[in-house]
Amino acid sequence: MQKEIPAILANLKIDALNEMQQASLEANRTHNDVILLSATGSGKTLAFLLPVLERLEPGKKSTQALIVVPSRELALQIEKVFRQMGTGYKITACYGGHLRETEENNLIEAPAVIVGTPGRLGDHIRRENITVNTIETLVLDEFDKTLELGFQEEVSFIVSSLPNINRHQLTSATEAVEIPEFIALKDPAKLNFLPEEGGTPERLAIKQVLSPENDKLETLFRLICHLGNRSTIVFCNHREAVERTSAYLSEKGILNTFYHGAMEQQERDSALCKFRNGTTNVLVTTDLAARGLDIPHIRYIVHYHLPHTEDSFTHRNGRTARMDASGTAILILSPEEKLMPYITDEVETIELPEKAVLPEKPKWVTLFIAAGKKDKVNKIDIVGFLGNKAKLKKEDIGLIEVKDFFSFVAVVRSKAGQILEMIKNEKIKNKKVKIDIAR
């Protein structure tokens, strides 16, 4: 395995393991059970995947490791990282919001690693789609969230269904969670890489904006104009507020997208893809986006609604200032609101200019293509199609994401209308598919 790590890091475009990842690797070599506490964005995914990989037996044609996560986005992110590692082992993600039959087909030839949400994993175990007696390693990622009310019963069922687990890894960005007895840890090694209590990561600046009115929408609009074309996540506390806020910003001319738990999977994928690829620089969301989203280079976190807890504040802010980057968290305060008592650092007040100037529209727009992996379509096919049929150069094509049954591709905004006109009667892989601007 030591020989494989440089190749894995090269595949992930990482120079070296950080201190936390190295400590996790070493602890897992000497202990069967490891608890890893480390801040969001510090690289925990690789910190538990490498030890999982070290324990996989190459010749086994059965599932050897199960990773339980609190959200579908986190499951997909872990699946993506594992595949990028280039190990040769098969991984499958299982989560609600899309066809169970698709997953059942993926599970027929048992993957070495399964990652998924508690509800969907429990469903597959009950239907006997997963061979449980060969699984020896169990990972609970973001276990504080996974073990929250509503998940406990399902996680307990999953654990009780795995008779031969001999190794556990638990990871979290929060310390204040009691680990239930049913997980049955034995003398676990505990690695705590969390920043000291009450402290803010050095790369994260915290600022505030004072709204003259209780309704803070106009202040948010002016703030986004002031921040310009930088990648920004706006957190609200409720789904209704997310949609109201997004609609207001759209009316005022701010290109944005919104994201919350009541959306269909395709809508969620589309929203995140547009934010990831730069079609929009503003994502309005609930705390659902505070975990599990791996979107690099987010510059600003805006707390439109104040978080309910310190944990929520920490996880929201963890979307920025990741790894070695810097970031800024901004709280919008109405006349009746005060900063939370756990913010002990000095907070600078941003004075907004009198005149709000709309930021320029982003360079990219996203196309939706109604074909994906299950239609044998890949990124190379999409690049070739757009190059041949729409006469696009490489620099006209941005980030491409291929899902099971559909794909998204960023193209230069100035050419979007021309592209749609040129490809409207063309086929991908000899098949006519719907292609349009992603909604």
Side-chain angles (χ1 to χ4, degrees):
M1 177 67 188
Q2 287 284 24
K3 292 177 183 174
E4 295 172 27
I5 288 177
I8 289 169
L9 296 184
N11 289 339
L12 295 170
K13 297 181 172 59
I14 295 172
D15 293 331
L17 295 177
N18 63 30
E19 182 189 356
M20 177 270 294
Q21 292 163 338
Q22 193 63 52
S24 173
L25 203 51
E26 289 166 9
N28 277 281
R29 286 170 180 160
T30 54
H31 292 76
N32 287 336
D33 295 343
V34 175
I35 300 168
L36 173 62
L37 305 176
S38 189
T40 304
S42 57
K44 286 197 298 297
T45 300
L46 190 57
F48 68 74
L49 284 180
L50 286 174
V52 165
L53 184 60
E54 283 204 331
R55 290 167 184 162
L56 297 181
E57 293 180 34
K60 264 193 176 180
K61 299 293 182 188
S62 56
T63 301
Q64 302 177 55
L66 184 70
I67 304 169
V68 184
V69 297
S71 72
R72 64 187 82 173
E73 285 74 24
L74 193 49
L76 288 166
Q77 175 55 29
I78 291 166
E79 180 189 42
K80 180 182 172 187
V81 172
F82 190 85
R83 285 184 173 159
Q84 285 174 335
M85 288 165 70
T87 66
Y89 288 103
K90 181 183 173 186
I91 185 170
T92 289
C94 301
Y95 52 90
H98 72 159
L99 289 173
R100 190 186 63 246
E101 288 76 9
T102 302
E103 295 173 357
E104 287 174 342
N105 290 334
N106 292 337
L107 291 167
I108 290 170
E109 190 181 309
V113 181
I114 298 174
V115 56
T117 51
R120 185 54 68 93
L121 289 176
D123 189 27
H124 282 304
I125 289 171
R126 289 182 181 93
R127 293 170 184 273
E128 299 184 354
N129 295 329
I130 295 172
T131 307
V132 292
N133 58 4
T134 60
I135 299 172
E136 296 184 348
T137 299
L138 175 66
V139 179
L140 298 181
D141 188 25
E142 300 279 16
F143 72 83
D144 55 312
K145 196 73 175 171
T146 309
L147 296 176
E148 276 183 0
L149 195 64
F151 280 141
Q152 281 250 16
E153 195 176 320
E154 204 63 90
V155 175
S156 176
F157 166 74
I158 291 167
V159 172
S160 68
S161 303
L162 304 173
N164 296 316
I165 293 295
N166 53 37
R167 298 180 184 276
H168 300 83
Q169 289 190 71
L170 277 64
T171 81
S172 177
T174 307
E175 189 167 16
V177 177
E178 195 173 323
I179 298 167
E181 285 185 18
F182 67 73
I183 295 176
L185 298 184
K186 293 174 185 169
D187 192 25
K190 187 172 181 181
L191 306 176
N192 191 341
F193 283 85
L194 292 172
E196 287 184 27
E197 203 61 41
T200 300
E202 284 179 25
R203 300 179 308 278
L204 177 69
I206 297 181
K207 301 184 180 183
Q208 65 181 5
V209 172
L210 305 178
S211 170
E213 298 168 4
N214 286 333
D215 187 328
K216 301 185 278 191
L217 283 173
E218 180 63 21
T219 302
L220 173 64
F221 164 69
R222 290 174 56 221
L223 172 63
I224 290 172
C225 290
H226 175 63
L227 299 178
N229 269 328
R230 305 298 295 274
S231 186
T232 302
I233 299 183
V234 178
F235 280 103
C236 302
N237 287 344
H238 314 287
R239 294 167 180 173
E240 297 77 13
V242 164
E243 296 197 19
R244 172 176 175 256
T245 303
S246 174
Y248 180 86
L249 292 176
S250 295
E251 283 168 20
K252 299 284 278 188
I254 300 282
L255 276 180
N256 74 92
T257 189
F258 67 84
Y259 173 80
H260 58 64
M263 297 163 68
E264 294 294 325
Q265 185 62 36
Q266 187 178 311
E267 294 174 318
R268 288 164 73 157
D269 286 338
S270 179
L272 292 181
C273 182
K274 286 191 280 188
F275 187 56
R276 243 191 309 265
N277 68 23
T279 289
T280 173
N281 291 317
V282 179
L283 177 72
V284 185
T285 182
T286 59
D287 279 353
L288 177 67
R291 298 168 184 250
L293 299 190
D294 185 34
I295 302 174
H297 316 307
I298 294 167
R299 186 65 186 80
Y300 295 106
I301 298 299
V302 176
H303 300 270
Y304 179 74
H305 288 146
L306 301 189
H308 291 308
T309 64
E310 185 175 358
D311 270 0
S312 173
F313 184 62
T314 300
H315 285 296
R316 288 178 177 187
N317 293 343
R319 299 301 96 207
T320 189
R322 294 168 76 81
M323 305 302 274
D324 294 325
S326 59
T328 303
I330 302 170
L331 299 109
I332 303 180
L333 302 177
S334 73
E336 296 174 1
E337 291 176 322
K338 291 185 172 65
L339 285 176
M340 298 80 79
Y342 50 77
I343 298 180
T344 54
D345 299 332
E346 200 168 318
V347 175
E348 177 191 331
T349 300
I350 298 173
E351 299 291 344
L352 298 177
E354 282 299 311
K355 188 179 179 188
V357 179
L358 281 174
E360 283 183 29
K361 285 188 176 178
K363 171 186 175 183
W364 303 102
V365 69
T366 299
L367 297 183
F368 169 84
I369 300 173
K373 293 174 192 170
K374 300 296 181 184
D375 306 293
K376 303 288 190 284
V377 168
N378 60 32
K379 291 181 183 181
I380 295 167
D381 297 325
I382 292 171
V383 170
F385 173 76
L386 292 174
N388 293 331
K389 305 300 183 184
K391 308 302 178 197
L392 293 188
K393 298 174 183 171
K394 276 191 177 177
E395 57 267 28
D396 295 331
I397 304 170
L399 189 71
I400 299 172
E401 295 190 26
V402 182
K403 308 294 183 183
D404 281 347
F405 298 104
F406 49 86
S407 306
F408 299 103
V409 54
V411 295
V412 173
R413 183 178 295 275
S414 59
K415 297 185 179 180
Q418 170 192 329
I419 292 165
L420 290 175
E421 187 60 32
M422 291 177 78
I423 63 176
K424 65 181 178 184
N425 296 314
E426 301 293 347
K427 297 177 180 178
I428 296 181
K429 287 279 184 89
N430 296 318
K431 186 180 174 188
K432 184 86 169 71
V433 298
K434 178 190 171 190
I435 303 176
D436 207 346
I437 303 293
R439 302 298 168 206

